[in-house]
């Protein structure tokens, strides 16, 4: 297949809805970055500082199973997924607000345990929970967390700045998060800030919907393509374990499972080479997993075999 004959695949439900919102919203001088990235940025206060804002809603039965995970782990996850989006912008989290839709029976006890989990993760990063809202109903548990953050003197990192020749790096092994990591991960905030301090990052996001799908998001936003080098994608033990049960390969799991919450980074080759050589992150290894090209998203299977087109495998937040 030639590159020219490639169709750009649609990213589906939630992505289409964001585009619909974008087509309707009128430009605002204070909206520096609107919907579609890991977080939005608005100009704030008389000093016109960048305020980074992100929100994420977790639904019982879809994002977690309360009976299996327990409320403290669910509380941790609801805070950590939002902090991960702040990390993806290379920003510092400043404050969180929380809204919860609780079941009427046992709601108070549940809320206290959720809060303990949230507070545990928030306090690790010095983030106060400054307010929110609770409500109760007959439906399942719903948790929405919003975080406000600030950028460093190097500014925010968006997902639309990748350029051909950039290397693609990630901060850890991928796949099989359903076996536990999706609840127990730590957002890569110190890692994102340290990489941003040391090197120019052209584009970054956190891997939430699956490596292949999130790579498509960066390519689409940056109007470029990418080659992912299959044998270089770091695989978790869990991806390998799941592969034995599902019949898919561990790499397939790494490409499509999602909720890894590692960082996917595009940066100039020279800077990436330096970072790879010095490995500046404490306890976290940077891996080179591919590079940015002009057009098309491809998987290089290694061993000199032909590249294969790589679709946006992963989790689509379907809207009908
Ligand atoms: Mg994200």
């Amino acid at each position: 297949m030639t590159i020219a004959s490639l169709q750009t695949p649609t990213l589906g439900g939630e992505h289409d809805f964001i585009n619909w919102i974008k087509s309707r919203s009128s430009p605002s001088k204070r909206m520096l970055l609107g919907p579609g990235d890991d977080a939005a940025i608005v100009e704030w206060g008389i000093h016109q500082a960048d305020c980074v804002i992100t929100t994420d809603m977790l639904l019982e039965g879809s994002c977690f199973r309360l009976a299996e995970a327990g409320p403290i782990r669910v509380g941790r996850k609801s805070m950590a997924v939002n902090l991960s989006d702040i990390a993806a912008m290379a920003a510092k989290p400043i404050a969180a607000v929380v809204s919860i839709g609780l079941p009427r029976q046992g709601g108070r006890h549940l809320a206290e345990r959720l809060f303990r989990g949230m507070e545990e993760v928030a306090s690790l990063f010095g983030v106060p929970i400054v307010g929110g809202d609770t409500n109760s109903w007959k439906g399942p548990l719903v948790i929405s967390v919003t975080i406000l953050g600030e950028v460093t003197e190097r500014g925010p990192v968006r997902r639309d700045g990748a350029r051909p020749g950039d290397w693609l790096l990630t901060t850890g092994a991928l796949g099989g998060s359903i076996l536990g990591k999706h609840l127990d991960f730590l957002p890569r905030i110190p890692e994102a800030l340290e990489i941003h301090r040391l090197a120019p990052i052209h584009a970054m996001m956190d891997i939430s919907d699956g490596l292949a799908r999130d790579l498509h998001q960066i390519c689409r936003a940056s109007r470029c393509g990418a080659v992912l080098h299959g044998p270089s994608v770091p695989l978790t033990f869990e991806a390998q374990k799941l592969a034995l049960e599902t019949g898919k390969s561990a790499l397939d799991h790494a490409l499509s499972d999602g909720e890894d919450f590692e960082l996917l980074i595009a940066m100039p080759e020279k800077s990436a080479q330096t970072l790879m050589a010095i490995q500046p992150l404490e306890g976290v290894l940077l891996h080179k997993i591919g590079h940015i090209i002009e057009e098309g998203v491809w998987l290089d299977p290694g061993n000199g075999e032909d590249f294969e087109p790589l679709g946006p495998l992963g989790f689509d937040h379907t809207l009908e």
Side-chain angles (χ1 to χ4, degrees):
M1 182 185 290
T2 62
I3 288 178
S5 70
L6 270 182
Q7 295 276 319
T8 309
T10 172
L11 290 173
E14 189 182 39
H15 190 266
D16 292 344
F17 181 56
I18 290 170
N19 282 338
W20 181 82
I21 293 173
K22 279 173 155 176
S23 72
R24 293 173 64 91
S25 57
S26 44
S28 156
K29 238 183 76 189
R30 281 179 171 260
M31 186 172 79
L32 304 180
L33 179 63
D37 212 302
D38 292 280
I41 305 174
V42 296
E43 193 180 272
W44 195 253
I46 54 169
H47 299 296
Q48 301 178 326
D50 287 0
C51 177
V52 181
I53 308 169
T54 187
T55 190
D56 211 337
M57 183 166 57
L58 266 61
L59 305 175
E60 182 179 359
S62 171
C63 308
F64 61 87
R65 293 187 203 291
L66 187 60
E68 284 171 33
I72 292 180
R73 284 172 100 196
V74 170
R76 278 193 214 129
K77 177 174 181 174
S78 66
M79 186 57 64
V81 294
N82 281 277
L83 289 168
S84 186
D85 277 331
I86 294 285
M89 306 299 288
K92 291 181 185 171
I94 297 300
V97 289
V98 177
S99 295
I100 313 180
L102 292 157
R104 291 219 169 95
Q105 284 290 324
R108 169 64 191 264
H109 182 63
L110 175 58
E112 285 179 13
R113 301 190 72 206
L114 288 167
F115 187 80
R116 271 176 51 201
M118 289 177 196
E119 206 179 24
E120 200 180 290
V121 174
S123 66
L124 280 178
F125 300 96
V127 182
I129 299 172
V130 295
D133 189 28
T134 59
N135 217 327
S136 63
W137 69 327
K138 283 186 182 163
L141 178 62
V142 179
I143 310 168
S144 175
V145 176
T146 300
I147 297 188
L148 306 182
E150 65 181 12
V151 299
T152 69
E153 62 277 6
R154 291 177 70 96
V157 175
R158 302 156 53 141
R159 53 175 79 161
D160 61 0
R163 299 171 207 165
D166 284 354
W167 279 19
L168 284 166
L169 306 182
T170 188
T171 47
L174 307 173
S177 69
I178 191 70
L179 297 184
K181 189 181 178 188
H182 77 112
L183 290 164
D184 299 324
F185 70 97
L186 280 180
R188 297 294 193 199
I189 286 175
E191 291 81 10
L193 292 173
E194 181 63 358
I195 296 167
H196 193 38
R197 189 180 72 81
L198 292 171
I201 305 175
H202 282 166
M204 181 157 68
M205 59 187 296
D206 63 327
I207 301 174
S208 54
D209 293 346
L211 171 61
R213 189 171 191 84
D214 291 335
L215 179 57
H216 268 269
Q217 302 260 29
I218 282 186
C219 290
R220 184 172 286 246
S222 302
R223 299 173 189 276
C224 62
V227 176
L228 207 58
H229 186 245
S232 301
V233 176
L235 305 171
T236 59
F237 168 74
E238 287 76 13
Q240 299 176 47
K241 190 176 164 198
L242 266 188
L244 295 175
E245 295 167 21
T246 60
K248 296 203 294 186
S249 70
L251 178 60
D252 287 337
H253 280 286
L255 292 172
S256 63
D257 283 355
E259 300 217 311
D260 300 293
F261 299 106
E262 298 293 346
L263 298 170
L264 177 60
I265 304 160
M267 68 162 58
E269 176 177 347
K270 244 188 174 154
S271 309
Q273 270 177 345
T274 307
L275 284 190
M276 291 289 293
I278 63 173
Q279 290 292 347
L281 307 177
E282 212 183 303
V284 173
L285 263 189
L286 285 168
H287 302 260
K288 183 202 175 190
I289 56 171
H291 61 278
I292 297 291
I293 59 171
E294 295 280 347
E295 205 179 347
V297 180
W298 304 87
L299 179 68
D300 174 3
N303 304 324
E305 288 172 31
D306 289 347
F307 293 0
E308 301 158 8
L310 178 64
L313 318 168
F315 189 76
D316 175 21
H317 305 260
T318 305
L319 297 172
E320 286 169 3

